[in-house]
Amino acid sequence: QQQQQQSSATSGAGAGQTMVQMMSKLDYLTVVSDQDLDARMVKMPFEASDLQMLLILPNDRQSNSAYLCNKMTANKIDQIMDEFAKTKAHSVRVTMPIFCIDSGKISIQSTLVTMGASELFDKNKANMSGVCENKQVWLNKILHRCFIICDNRGSITSSTYEKARKRHASSVGKDGSLSFKRLTGVEEFTADHPFMYIILDSVTRTILMIGLYTDPSETLEVVHENQLSPDEAHQIYTEGFYKT
């Protein structure tokens, strides 16, 4: 269902090419275009979940995709999702980089204060009695950290893959086996230059994560837990999550 390959990706305007690990998947997906964004988009659902990933790929290969940030408003997201809802799915081969991006630790104190939660940070006014018996508790810092790992371990659903397979099967044997004719009518979606990715709830259309993939050399190496020794895993968890 998925293939891994070595390929080159363009880093953006004025940049050269970098060899990166790419993964490819044939599935039954929806692709739309947007003239305002000057980009193509594909929607990929997560398995057994309402979450979906959108890849927004500028038509201009030399673009660094940063211009998408100013255009990606709540209204624009609604327009995009409405367009996806009106468009039929078809056989699409998505080819994209394997990547891991860490946001680092970001202070969200000023954001919470702006939203009206300023008393949490005032030791004379904070009231944490709902979560703590000690009424003297107050907050002096709140940090947010998130990371995304996008690899070929199958986080994107493969349930619709059967539709794509059967669509291109010339015959089905009595034992259920499929014999294939040459694949035709497969749309290629190759993310080999800077793009935007969005993870959102398909029901509420709430954005959970949004980011830009612009420079392959700045992404982290994907290392899974079963490749780490107990000491290495412990060091990563303690340094990554508990130190400020």
Side-chain angles (χ1 to χ4, degrees):
Q1 298 178 15
Q2 294 177 326
Q3 297 177 341
Q4 185 171 325
Q5 61 195 51
Q6 188 86 5
S7 184
S8 62
T10 303
S11 298
Q17 293 187 337
T18 303
M19 296 301 296
V20 298
Q21 288 291 326
M22 304 283 282
M23 56 184 175
S24 180
K25 180 179 177 65
L26 173 65
D27 215 329
Y28 209 60
L29 303 170
T30 307
V31 176
V32 299
S33 297
D34 188 286
Q35 291 185 348
D36 179 46
L37 298 179
D38 190 23
R40 294 167 65 222
M41 295 165 282
V42 64
K43 179 180 66 172
M44 299 182 289
F46 282 79
E47 186 173 6
S49 171
D50 291 329
L51 300 184
Q52 295 179 333
M53 172 181 274
L54 307 184
L55 296 185
I56 303 173
L57 185 67
N59 293 322
D60 182 2
R61 293 181 55 85
Q62 299 304 313
S63 169
N64 63 8
S65 71
Y67 75 94
L68 294 172
C69 296
N70 295 328
K71 293 178 175 289
M72 202 54 62
T73 62
N75 287 337
K76 192 63 182 179
I77 291 292
D78 283 338
Q79 292 176 12
I80 291 172
M81 296 304 291
D82 288 342
E83 189 64 27
F84 273 121
K86 295 186 296 184
T87 305
K88 290 185 178 181
H90 58 283
S91 298
V92 180
R93 181 182 291 106
V94 177
T95 303
M96 61 183 293
I98 295 173
F99 66 91
C100 175
I101 296 177
D102 187 346
S103 70
K105 294 171 183 174
I106 303 171
S107 174
I108 59 174
Q109 178 175 341
S110 60
T111 302
L112 292 175
V113 170
T114 302
M115 295 173 64
S118 59
E119 291 187 357
L120 288 174
F121 305 96
D122 188 329
K123 62 181 179 180
N124 297 317
K125 296 181 179 180
N127 182 358
M128 303 286 288
S129 59
V131 294
C132 181
E133 293 182 359
N134 187 347
K135 296 183 179 181
Q136 302 301 315
V137 173
W138 56 285
L139 303 179
N140 64 352
K141 182 188 296 184
I142 292 185
L143 299 176
H144 173 74
R145 184 181 187 182
C146 63
F147 60 89
I148 177 173
I149 298 175
C150 190
D151 62 12
N152 57 357
R153 298 183 78 188
S155 59
I156 302 299
T157 179
S158 60
S159 60
T160 55
Y161 177 74
E162 290 301 320
K163 297 179 183 178
R165 291 179 70 236
K166 292 179 180 179
R167 180 183 178 89
H168 295 289
S170 57
S171 62
V172 181
K174 293 182 179 180
D175 60 352
S177 62
L178 302 177
S179 61
F180 287 89
K181 57 187 177 182
R182 185 176 180 179
L183 295 182
T184 58
V186 176
E187 181 173 358
E188 299 289 342
F189 191 99
T190 305
D192 60 355
H193 57 280
F195 59 88
M196 173 178 279
Y197 57 88
I198 300 175
I199 297 177
L200 78 168
D201 186 308
S202 61
V203 177
T204 64
R205 298 185 177 180
T206 300
I207 295 177
L208 305 179
M209 184 176 291
I210 184 170
L212 299 174
Y213 182 93
T214 58
D215 189 347
S217 65
E218 293 184 356
T219 64
L220 304 176
E221 180 183 2
V222 177
V223 179
H224 298 294
E225 291 183 12
N226 57 8
Q227 298 175 278
L228 300 174
S229 69
D231 289 341
E232 289 174 327
H234 177 73
Q235 181 180 358
I236 289 174
Y237 286 132
T238 53
E239 290 185 356
F241 292 96
Y242 299 117
K243 289 186 178 180
T244 59

